[in-house]
Structure formats: structure tokens, C-alpha cells
């Protein structure tokens, strides 16, 4: 076969295709011209009829004879007479509405009784000749006229009405198609406005405004990314030893840990172009658009290599390919194209793909294999040092008071991610403004943390005395169990003030040291027991149950279920995994991997753990009932107390001596949340809490010289005072071993 024939065939096909395209444009333009002209004529006729009144010719002659006509106009194009009645003429339509001719128009009364004004046009079809009509109008003295209209050439008129709109539409079509072809000059659907074109944002050096200096608490991730950036800047160092440039790095971690922020910091640190795009940008209704956008993205990246391509939320397009739910052709084609592009680009060009996700378990295995994503960089929750560094970054532009200790805030925010800390600092700054201060204090930071976990106070909520007492015993039950048990976190705050997140009160436990994710069985059992303390106090003291323990029961059940199903801490199943983690970085949920009868036995094992912990909580409540009554009485009076105030009441000291608003029940570190002030004079006698109410203290503060001059309590009153049962578990300063006499301090009555 002659290749020239083939060439001619191709050119002939291309020419016929062009003629078909031109013919299609002509047909569309002609069709639109006819539609526009018809619509214009119809709308003009409809608008004309809507405001016009057609009169019979006999009615017209009667109006002329009656002297009701002021002016008549002869139409040029049709045998139509346009009639203008005189002022005062009354026209009644078919519905009985009367229109009166006035200087401003035609007035009428609507069905509601309102006076309205409208414009009407009266016309009639001319039956007689112009001479006869003129004779009639002259007879009765009616003015008439016929406006002059220059006659156009028929060819010019046809051109204006038909050809000109057609030409305008052809030009518009041509311009639109040229623009579409220029914007989307790719395969697939690229011709329609660039649908198949990747809309990635391109950042150059420091254009994001974020660098590694703005990222804290993720030192390991920064180290890995710094090495990748150095590989791009100085590839000879690595190629000399034979190392290859990694093709991709996957950033994995819980939401809010800073994956996208790290990617922006890479853009700020790198001296190479940085392409940023979201996984959802590849998803379209048309099949093949996502794959076309992937091709265009890597095509543009190869032009400016070396560069970095960042795909956020890659699980949108990178989900595992299976046919269990029927599949998704568009998503699978996009993933296949991404896999092919990652295999196809030359590693020596310096194109590195970064991706972020918090669901790595759903990603396709072909995407995670070495040679595509060579590294998995874990962006986990920051530890104590990381939280402290993160707080320092976020408070860089915040005006802080001298009493701010970010280490205390970092200790209090165990488990928080970077986004939580940023929100906390912002809420503290907003609180300082609301309080009328120009500096952010330590109280603002810790109060902002409570605002995040419990919400704002409900100032309009009113509890009855019984409800208030019930909530007080519930919260003190949590606090007492936490205080009297080993392996628990110290109590920092107890409140019975309702908050917006659904709680009528809460007990705030704060760790005083940074703990890892490792937990012993005793610590988990103690955590469940603390959760059971509220319900135990309701039953032991108030002889009732409330729905206020629902969240406590849910938390305790989740811990117990994890102990049995995941941690191998049950006697019946031992070292047997009954479930597997499904969403490690999201809700932490898991799926059962056992038979139904085994799951039923697992529920029984969970119930045994809960019953055992509840029994322990009841024992603690019963053994410390007297101390609970004292704490509850003080809590009902103050509504919010600290853990140190609870300790002072239990030890028989005056809770008013506790000045730190965030002092906890344990002071393992000197000067950090002490259960009593750092400098305190020892009391002369041990003071016993009695039910008799004592008068309020004077305004003058006690001094060290008269600290021991208060009235002594007889020994027989304090002989039966029980010593704290947690001397070893809750170390306190030597001063707290002794008691302090109250300087006339008010003691709440015992219920």
C-alpha cells in the first residue's frame, strides 16, 4: 500500500471532519437565530397584549360620538387605530373592575380595597377606509396623526433581522471553542474548558509563608523531609555512593497533627517548585477525567524538575481496588494512572511525590510498595517536649504575662495535637480580651483548655437543691476514688456548674508527668474504677441512679472491651486477639475477628471486669463517706473547687489557705500544683471538721506571727480523725502532714 495514499486518506478525513464541524456550527447558529427571533416576537406580542385593551370598531365609533376620545394614531404596519381616551373616561373590564383615566394613568380599586394606578392602551382594528375614519374624526373634533417611518431596503431589513444575529452567534461560538481548546489542550475531555487539566497550586521558595521553624513537635518527620530536600539540592552527595532518590513519601497520622503544615513547610524550605493538589481534585463525574489530570500533573512537573508534588488526602483516589461494592471506574482509572506515572518518571529528574492521609489501612497495596512510596513518615501526637515546643510556636505572636508557664500547660494537655494547641492559645487570647486584659495569663491558658474539653458555662441553667446535691456527690465520687486509689491521675478541679457540652458538672484529672501510650493492667483497672465512682456515689449515698453516668459507663466499657479483645488481659481468653484495629488514626475502632459464641463469652468477660471495678468503687465510697460529706458540703457552697482544696478538707485543714486556682491532689514536683501554699506555718493543733457553721474570716490576711494563735480544738474531738489512706501514693510536702488552724474560716455544714 502506498503511504502517500494513507496520508491522503488521513488528510481527507481531517478535511471532512473540519467541514462537518463548520456545518454543525452553522446549523446551531441558524437554530439559535430562529429561536431568538421567535422568542422576541412572542414576548413582544405577549407584553403588548398584557397592557392593551382591544375594542370593537362599533365601540370606537360610539366613544368618538360620545366625545370620550382625545387622540387617535394611525399605525404604519397594520390597520390598527391606537386610541387615547379623555381624562375622566371610565372603562369597565369583564371582571367588573373600573379603570378611570387620569393625568397619571388609569386608577382602579383592587379586590383588597387598595387604590392602584396602571397604564392601558386602547386599540381597534380599522374596518373603514382612512378617508371615512378621517371624516368621522373631523366631524367630532378628534385629533389624529400618523407618524412618519422611513422605509428600509428589504435586503437591509432581512440582513438586520436574520443574517446579523446569525453572524454574531457564529463569532461567539468560534471564540468560545478557541478559548476551550487553548485552556484544555489535552486528551480525554480537555477540549471542554480544561476539565481534564490538573488544577494544582504551584508554590516557589517561601511563597507559602511556612518553614520548618513554624513546625514543632515532629522532629523525626522534619528530619526525614529535610533529607529529601537536601537530596534535591545536593544530589551528587548521594549519587556518589550509589543511593537513589526516593520516589515518594507518605505522611500518616491523626487529624490535626500537622501533615499539611509540614508539606507547606517543605515548600517553604525547598528551592524547587512545589505542586500542591488535593485528592478530591482528581474526582469528577466523567470517567477518564481523573486519569487525564494525573497525566497533566506529572507532565507539568517534569517540565520544571527537580520539584515536589504534594497530594493531600490521597485516600480519596488511592483506596484499595476490589469488586465487593461494584467498584468505581473513575477512581480506579485515576489510581491506575497514578501508579503508572510513579513507575514511569525518571528518578534522576528529581520529582518527589508527597502524600498525606489519616487512613493508610484503606490504601491500595500497589501504591504502598517500595519503588512508589518508599517512605512512610508517621506524624503522631506530640509528647511533652513536642507540646511545649508547639505552644512556643503558637504563642510567638501572643503577648504573655509573666506568670505564664508553658510547661504546665503542656503537661495539662496530654494527648492533644497541634491543632488543639493552636485552638487553645487562640481561645486563651480571646478570653483575655473578654476580661479586659492586654496580656494572656496562665489562668487564661488553663481555662481555655477546660473550655475546649467541657465547653462554656451555662449561666441560665438552674438546678434544684436535690439535683445540685446529686451532681455534687457524683463528681466527688469520681474525685474520691481517684484520690484514694493507686495508678490514677491527680484531681485538679471539681465543678457542679453545667456546661454547654451536655455535662452538669465534671471532674478534671490531670497527669503530672508525661506518660507514653504504655498502660499496665492496674492502671486500666484504676481508670475504669474512677469512671464507676460517680454511679457508686449515687447508689451508696443517694440510693438512686441517674442518666448522668451514661458517658462514664461508655468510657469504662470501651476500656474493658479493649482489655479483653485487644490487650489479652482477661483470665478466660488470655493471649488471644479477638479483634483488630480498623481506623488507627481516626476513631480507633476495631472489628471483631472471632465467632459469635466467642463474642458472647467476651461480653461476659467484659462484664466481670466492670463488676469488679464497680465493687472496688463502692468500697472506696463507703469507707470515705464522712470525708465525702465534708467535700460535698464545701463544693455545694463554692460550686467549683480544686483538688488541693479537697485534700485540705480531708486532712482537716482550712481550704481557704489554698491559693493556687489549679492545684491538684498531688504535688510530685516541687512548686507545681501544690496541695497547699509553698510557704505555710505549721498549725498548733489538728483541726476536725464539724457540722457547726463558723463565721466568715476577717478581710485582713493572716501573718506568720499569728498563724498559730487560733483557738485550739480539744484532743477528744480530733482523736478519732482518720489519717489519709494514700500517704505513699500521694506524696505531699512535710507541711501538709500537719494541720493548720482556721483563722475563723467558714466551714460548710455536713449534709
Amino acid at each position: 500500500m502506498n503511504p502517500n495514499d494513507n496520508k491522503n486518506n488521513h488528510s481527507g478525513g481531517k478535511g471532512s471532519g473540519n467541514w462537518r464541524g463548520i456545518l454543525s456550527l452553522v446549523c446551531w447558529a441558524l437554530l439559535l437565530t430562529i429561536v431568538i427571533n421567535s422568542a422576541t416576537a412572542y414576548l413582544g406580542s405577549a407584553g403588548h397584549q398584557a397592557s392593551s385593551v382591544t375594542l370593537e370598531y362599533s365601540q370606537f365609533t360610539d366613544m368618538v360620538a360620545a366625545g370620550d376620545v382625545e387622540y387617535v394614531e394611525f399605525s404604519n404596519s397594520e390597520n390598527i387605530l391606537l386610541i387615547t381616551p379623555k381624562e375622566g373616561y371610565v372603562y369597565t373590564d369583564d371582571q367588573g373592575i373600573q379603570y378611570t383615566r387620569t393625568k397619571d394613568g388609569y386608577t382602579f380599586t383592587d379586590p383588597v380595597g387598595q387604590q392602584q394606578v396602571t397604564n392601558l392602551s386602547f386599540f381597534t382594528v380599522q374596518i373603514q377606509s382612512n378617508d371615512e375614519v378621517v371624516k368621522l374624526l373631523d366631524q367630532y373634533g378628534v385629533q389624529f396623526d400618523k407618524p412618519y417611518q422611513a422605509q428600509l431596503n428589504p435586503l437591509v431589513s432581512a440582513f438586520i433581522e436574520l443574517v446579523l444575529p446569525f453572524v454574531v452567534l457564529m463569532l461567539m461560538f468560534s471564540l468560545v471553542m478557541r478559548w476551550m481548546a487553548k485552556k484544555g489542550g489535552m486528551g480525554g475531555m480537555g477540549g471542554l474548558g480544561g476539565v481534564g487539566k490538573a488544577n494544582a497550586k504551584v508554590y516557589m521558595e517561601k511563597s507559602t509563608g511556612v518553614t520548618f521553624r513554624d513546625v514543632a513537635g515532629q522532629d523525626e518527620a522534619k528530619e526525614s523531609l529535610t533529607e529529601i530536600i537536601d537530596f534535591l539540592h545536593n544530589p551528587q552527595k548521594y549519587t556518589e555512593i550509589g543511593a537513589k532518590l526516593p520516589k515518594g513519601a507518605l505522611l500518616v497520622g491523626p487529624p490535626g497533627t500537622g501533615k499539611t503544615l509540614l508539606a507547606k513547610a517543605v515548600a517553604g524550605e525547598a528551592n524547587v517548585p512545589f505542586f500542591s493538589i488535593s485528592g478530591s481534585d482528581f474526582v469528577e463525574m466523567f470517567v477518564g477525567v481523573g486519569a487525564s489530570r494525573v497525566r497533566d500533573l506529572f507532565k507539568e512537573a517534569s517540565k520544571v524538575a527537580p520539584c515536589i508534588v504534594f497530594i493531600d488526602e490521597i485516600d480519596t483516589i488511592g483506596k484499595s481496588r476490589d469488586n465487593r461494592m461494584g467498584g468505581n471506574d473513575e477512581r480506579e482509572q485515576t489510581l491506575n494512572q497514578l501508579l503508572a506515572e510513579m513507575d514511569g518518571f525518571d528518578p534522576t529528574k528529581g520529582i518527589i511525590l508527597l502524600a498525606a492521609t489519616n487512613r493508610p489501612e484503606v490504601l491500595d497495596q500497589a501504591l504502598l510498595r517500595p519503588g512508589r512510596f518508599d517512605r512512610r513518615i508517621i506524624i503522631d501526637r506530640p509528647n511533652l517536649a513536642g507540646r511545649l515546643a508547639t505552644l512556643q510556636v503558637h504563642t510567638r505572636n501572643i503577648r504573655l504575662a509573666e506568670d505564664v508557664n508553658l510547661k504546665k500547660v503542656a503537661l495539662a494537655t496530654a494527648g492533644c495535637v497541634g491543632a488543639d494547641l493552636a485552638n487553645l492559645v487562640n481561645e486563651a487570647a480571646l478570653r483575655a480580651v473578654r476580661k479586659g486584659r492586654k496580656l494572656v495569663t496562665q489562668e487564661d491558658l488553663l481555662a481555655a483548655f477546660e473550655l475546649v474539653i467541657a465547653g462554656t458555662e451555662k449561666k441560665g441553667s438552674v438546678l434544684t437543691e436535690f439535683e445540685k446535691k446529686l451532681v455534687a456527690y457524683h463528681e466527688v465520687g469520681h474525685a474520691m476514688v481517684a484520690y484514694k486509689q493507686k495508678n490514677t491521675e491527680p484531681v485538679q478541679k471539681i465543678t457542679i456548674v453545667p456546661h454547654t457540652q451536655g455535662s452538669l458538672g465534671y471532674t478534671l484529672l490531670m497527669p503530672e508527668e508525661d506518660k507514653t501510650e504504655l498502660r499496665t493492667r492496674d492502671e486500666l483497672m484504676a481508670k475504669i474504677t474512677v469512671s464507676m465512682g460517680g454511679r457508686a456515689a449515687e447508689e451508696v449515698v443517694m440510693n438512686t441512679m441517674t442518666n448522668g453516668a451514661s458517658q462514664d459507663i461508655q468510657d469504662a466499657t470501651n476500656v474493658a472491651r479493649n482489655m479483653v479483645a485487644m490487650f489479652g488481659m482477661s483470665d478466660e481468653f488470655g493471649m488471644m486477639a479477638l479483634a483488630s484495629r480498623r481506623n488507627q488514626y481516626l476513631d480507633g475502632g476495631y472489628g471483631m475477628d472471632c465467632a459469635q459464641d466467642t463474642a458472647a463469652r467476651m461480653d461476659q468477660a467484659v462484664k466481670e471486669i466492670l463488676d469488679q471495678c464497680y465493687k472496688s468503687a463502692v468500697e472506696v465510697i463507703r469507707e470515705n463517706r464522712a470525708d465525702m460529706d465534708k467535700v460535698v458540703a464545701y463544693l455545694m457552697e463554692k460550686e467549683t473547687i480544686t483538688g488541693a482544696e479537697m485534700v485540705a478538707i480531708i486532712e482537716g485543714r482550712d481550704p481557704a489557705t489554698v491559693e493556687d486556682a489549679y492545684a491538684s491532689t498531688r504535688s510530685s514536683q516541687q512548686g507545681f500544683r501544690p496541695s497547699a501554699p509553698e510557704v505555710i506555718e505549721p498549725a498548733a493543733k489538728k483541726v476536725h471538721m464539724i457540722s457547726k457553721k463558723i463565721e466568715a474570716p476577717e478581710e485582713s490576711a493572716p501573718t506568720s506571727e499569728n498563724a498559730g494563735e487560733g483557738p485550739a480544738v480539744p484532743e477528744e474531738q480530733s482523736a478519732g480523725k482518720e489519717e489519709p489512706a494514700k500517704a505513699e501514693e500521694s506524696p505531699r510536702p512535710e507541711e501538709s502532714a500537719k494541720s493548720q488552724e482556721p483563722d475563723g474560716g467558714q466551714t460548710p455544714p455536713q449534709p
Side-chain angles (χ1 to χ4, degrees), residues 40-107:
T40 304
Y42 173 78
L43 293 176
S45 175
H48 180 71
Q49 294 178 4
S51 61
S52 301
V53 177
T54 304
L55 299 177
E56 296 179 358
Y57 190 77
S58 60
Q59 289 179 299
F60 164 67
T61 57
D62 292 342
M63 289 177 60
V64 172
D68 293 332
V69 178
E70 179 180 352
Y71 179 78
V72 174
E73 180 180 338
F74 289 84
S75 175
N76 288 316
S77 58
E78 301 174 359
N79 294 327
I80 299 294
L81 297 178
L82 301 179
I83 307 165
T84 303
K86 291 184 178 180
E87 291 187 16
Y89 173 73
V90 179
Y91 168 73
T92 304
D93 63 2
D94 296 338
Q95 299 178 357
I97 300 177
Q98 293 183 346
Y99 298 86
T100 302
R101 172 82 161 85
T102 63
K103 184 185 298 183
D104 299 328
Y106 292 84
T107 61

Side-chain angles (χ1 to χ4, degrees), residues 319-334:
K319 289 183 180 179
S320 179
R321 293 166 292 182
D322 55 58
N323 294 321
R324 289 179 296 179
M325 301 300 293
N328 186 312
D329 291 338
E330 164 64 3
R331 181 178 56 80
E332 290 186 2
Q333 285 194 20
T334 305

Side-chain angles (χ1 to χ4, degrees), residues 8 24 48 83 107 131 138 146 163 210 239 289 344-345 376 430 432 501 519 562 567 584 590 640 702 740:
N8 293 333
S24 176
H48 180 71
I83 307 165
T107 61
D131 295 338
D138 286 337
K146 183 175 183 180
V163 179
V210 180
T239 55
V289 174
F345 65 79
R376 177 179 291 194
L430 295 176
Q501 293 188 7
R519 293 290 185 272
N562 284 333
F567 306 152
Q584 179 180 359
Y590 58 82
T640 299
Q740 182 181 4

